[in-house]
């Protein structure tokens, strides 16, 4: 009987941890986009920042870019202001 109570709780905890990781990745991506813009004297809002630039400049890893694309995390430059 105890097993039935623990398993759903573990699944909920796993889902919660995944959501927190995804939110943290979004924060990292957006911060790195801002850093790229500052380092290259461009504005984030002008579309100069993209995943390719961030990867090539070593601002994010290829794994971070792949995960961000899978999650459809928009870069600040992709937002319409």
């Amino acid at each position: 009987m105890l097993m039935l109570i623990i398993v759903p709780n573990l699944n909920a905890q796993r889902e919660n941890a995944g959501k927190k990781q995804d939110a943290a990745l979004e924060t990292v991506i957006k911060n790195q986009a801002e850093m790229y813009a500052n380092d290259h004297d461009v504005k984030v809002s002008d579309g100069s920042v993209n995943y390719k630039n961030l990867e090539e400049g070593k601002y994010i890893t290829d794994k971070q870019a792949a995960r961000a694309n899978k999650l459809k995390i928009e870069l600040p430059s992709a937002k319409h202001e």
Side-chain angles (χ1 to χ4, degrees):
M1 188 71 149
L2 183 60
M3 184 76 154
L4 295 175
I5 295 171
I6 293 174
V7 173
N9 191 31
L10 288 175
N11 286 335
Q13 291 299 323
R14 185 177 300 122
E15 287 178 22
N16 188 35
K19 288 178 185 178
K20 287 182 181 182
Q21 285 179 326
D22 294 345
L25 177 61
E26 184 170 3
T27 299
V28 167
I29 296 293
K30 290 179 178 182
N31 287 338
Q32 293 304 94
E34 291 285 342
M35 288 179 62
Y36 177 91
N38 288 336
D39 290 348
H40 293 87
D41 200 26
V42 297
K43 292 183 180 179
V44 175
S45 61
D46 71 3
S48 297
V49 181
N50 58 49
Y51 283 111
K52 182 179 178 184
N53 293 344
L54 294 176
E55 283 183 81
E56 288 176 355
K58 306 290 186 205
Y59 288 84
I60 61 173
T61 66
D62 58 341
K63 288 182 182 181
Q64 288 172 318
R67 181 72 179 156
N69 280 318
K70 183 178 180 182
L71 295 172
K72 297 181 180 168
I73 296 173
E74 284 188 24
L75 292 171
S77 59
K79 291 184 178 176
H80 301 287
E81 296 180 350

